[in-house]
């Protein structure tokens, strides 16, 4: 499921895009933000489906080899450990996975099956595949560990696949690392006794509401924050502050003033990390200093009211 840090990333990107396009259609931009987050779920499903398609192709190749006129002994009696993999079979039999694919018409691997072939070829040349196929132990734990290694070492780092996803949707570039981690967690927690069920996109309704509230409140109130920011950056003209840094500061102020259940220190730490990932090398220190001063002023003037630990 999507976490609050990635929600903040998505909101930051949407605020930036809205500013760059000089759009004032808040409803349209919020709708696109939610669409972008939903498409991230599609990326999650597509990667899981890809694992299934690789196994299906391996099974198909084995069946074709058996039908050769001059089939070898090995082709007639192949090692079926991969196509019998219990976790992959669980994914293949998942009603929720199949249902989501059909409902949302995610027929990517039917149309672009060359990526399935690329991954199967790379897998079968790998040491992890050879080691797995030679493993005598037949257990769910062994099968699950192999699938995790397959995804982590073969699928996730594949540059051709990453380029393909980027071509399909530009926002997926930033989503790929998060989705990869999400998939590994999903695979790791899967149990032999349970069918595979797709997880929820959001942890709860609070997180779902957080998307809209953070975006709309930042956009609607950002101009009110500019004087406060100016006071805390006396040696900086507004146009000297990087656009992303300014957006990050304004989003943090929004959390200070409009989200009483989020501790101010959590907000500061989260936006420092965003600055490290999406702005300049020195942005983290700059934003930390500005937000720390603002938080103290808002607290002392009672503009910022936090519940419980937020006051610490």
């Amino acid at each position: 499921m999507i976490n609050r840090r990635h929600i903040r990333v998505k909101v930051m990107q949407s605020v930036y895009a809205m500013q760059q396009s000089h759009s004032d259609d808040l409803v349209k931009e919020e709708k696109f933000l939610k669409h972008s987050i939903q498409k991230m779920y599609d990326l999650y499903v597509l990667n899981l489906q890809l694992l299934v398609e690789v196994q299906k192709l391996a099974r198909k190749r084995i069946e074709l080899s058996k039908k050769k006129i001059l089939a070898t002994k090995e082709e007639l009696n192949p090692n079926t450990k991969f196509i019998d993999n219990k976790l992959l079979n669980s994914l293949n039999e998942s009603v929720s996975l199949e249902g989501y694919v059909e409902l949302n018409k995610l027929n990517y691997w039917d149309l672009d099956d060359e990526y399935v072939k690329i991954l199967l070829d790379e897998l079968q040349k790998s040491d992890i595949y050879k080691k797995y196929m030679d493993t005598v132990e037949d257990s769910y734990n062994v099968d699950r560990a192999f699938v995790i290694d397959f995804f982590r070492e073969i699928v996730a780092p594949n540059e051709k696949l990453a380029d393909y996803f980027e071509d399909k949707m530009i926002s997926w570039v930033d989503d790929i690392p998060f989705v990869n981690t999400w998939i590994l967690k999903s695979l790791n927690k899967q149990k032999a006794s349970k069918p595979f069920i797709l997880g929820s996109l959001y942890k709860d309704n609070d997180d779902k509401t957080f998307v809209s509230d953070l975006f709309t409140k930042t956009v609607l109130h950002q101009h009110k924050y500019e004087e406060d920011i100016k006071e805390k950056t006396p040696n900086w003209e507004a146009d000297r502050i990087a656009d992303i840094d300014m957006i990050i500061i304004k989003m943090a102020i929004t959390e200070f003033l409009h989200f009483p259940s989020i501790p101010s220190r959590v907000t500061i730490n989260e936006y420092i990390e965003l600055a490290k990932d999406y702005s300049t090398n020195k942005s983290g220190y700059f934003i930390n200093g500005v937000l720390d001063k603002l938080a103290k002023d808002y607290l002392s003037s009672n503009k910022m009211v936090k519940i419980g630990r937020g006051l610490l």
Side-chain angles (χ1 to χ4, degrees), residues 130-194:
K130 295 172 184 175
K131 181 179 178 181
Y132 172 68
M133 298 298 279
D134 290 339
T135 302
V136 176
E137 182 181 350
D138 181 23
S139 71
Y140 190 86
N141 287 340
V142 169
D143 285 357
R144 181 177 55 197
F146 166 74
V147 176
I148 289 172
D149 287 343
F150 170 30
F151 183 80
R152 183 170 50 216
E153 298 184 27
I154 305 294
V155 180
N158 190 280
E159 294 182 1
K160 290 181 179 179
L161 185 62
D163 290 341
Y164 172 75
F165 284 139
E166 182 179 350
D167 287 341
K168 287 296 180 181
M169 188 164 183
I170 188 65
S171 64
W172 278 349
V173 175
D174 291 309
D175 296 334
I176 287 173
F178 173 79
V179 168
N180 287 346
T181 300
W182 185 6
I183 290 169
L184 289 172
K185 288 180 179 178
S186 298
L187 296 174
N188 195 51
K189 71 179 183 181
Q190 185 63 22
K191 305 296 182 183
S193 58
K194 296 182 179 180

Side-chain angles (χ1 to χ4, degrees), residues 57-82:
L57 179 59
R59 184 179 291 111
K60 182 178 180 181
R61 286 182 177 178
I62 285 176
E63 293 304 316
L64 289 174
S65 294
K66 285 182 178 180
K67 295 177 181 178
K68 287 182 180 179
I69 296 175
L70 298 176
T72 64
K73 183 179 179 180
E74 186 179 81
E75 288 172 332
L76 291 172
N77 297 283
N79 184 339
T80 61
K81 194 172 183 67
F82 177 58

Side-chain angles (χ1 to χ4, degrees), residues 84-139:
D84 292 336
N85 184 280
K86 299 173 183 63
L87 176 52
L88 291 177
N89 287 339
S90 179
L91 292 176
N92 186 35
E93 296 163 3
S94 172
V95 175
S96 68
L97 180 59
E98 182 182 5
Y100 188 90
V101 169
E102 291 182 359
L103 182 64
N104 293 278
K105 297 180 173 59
L106 299 182
N107 58 342
Y108 287 47
W109 311 129
D110 292 334
L111 299 174
D112 300 306
D113 60 354
E114 64 265 31
Y115 295 94
V116 179
K117 297 173 184 175
I118 288 171
L119 290 173
L120 178 57
D121 290 341
E122 187 174 340
L123 173 65
Q124 292 180 331
K125 294 175 184 176
S126 69
D127 290 336
I128 62 169
Y129 181 80
K130 295 172 184 175
K131 181 179 178 181
Y132 172 68
M133 298 298 279
D134 290 339
T135 302
V136 176
E137 182 181 350
D138 181 23
S139 71

Side-chain angles (χ1 to χ4, degrees), residues 17 24 53 55 86 116 142 153 156 165 181 192 213 253 257 260-261 270 293:
D24 59 0
E53 294 302 319
Q55 187 199 40
K86 299 173 183 63
V116 179
V142 169
E153 298 184 27
F165 284 139
T181 300
D213 286 350
I253 295 174
L257 304 182
S261 64
E270 285 294 314
K293 293 175 185 176

Side-chain angles (χ1 to χ4, degrees), residues 267-285:
T267 292
I268 292 173
N269 289 339
E270 285 294 314
Y271 286 105
I272 288 172
E273 291 304 312
L274 251 66
K276 290 178 181 177
D277 291 338
Y278 292 93
S279 195
T280 66
N281 293 333
K282 297 181 180 179
S283 291
Y285 298 103

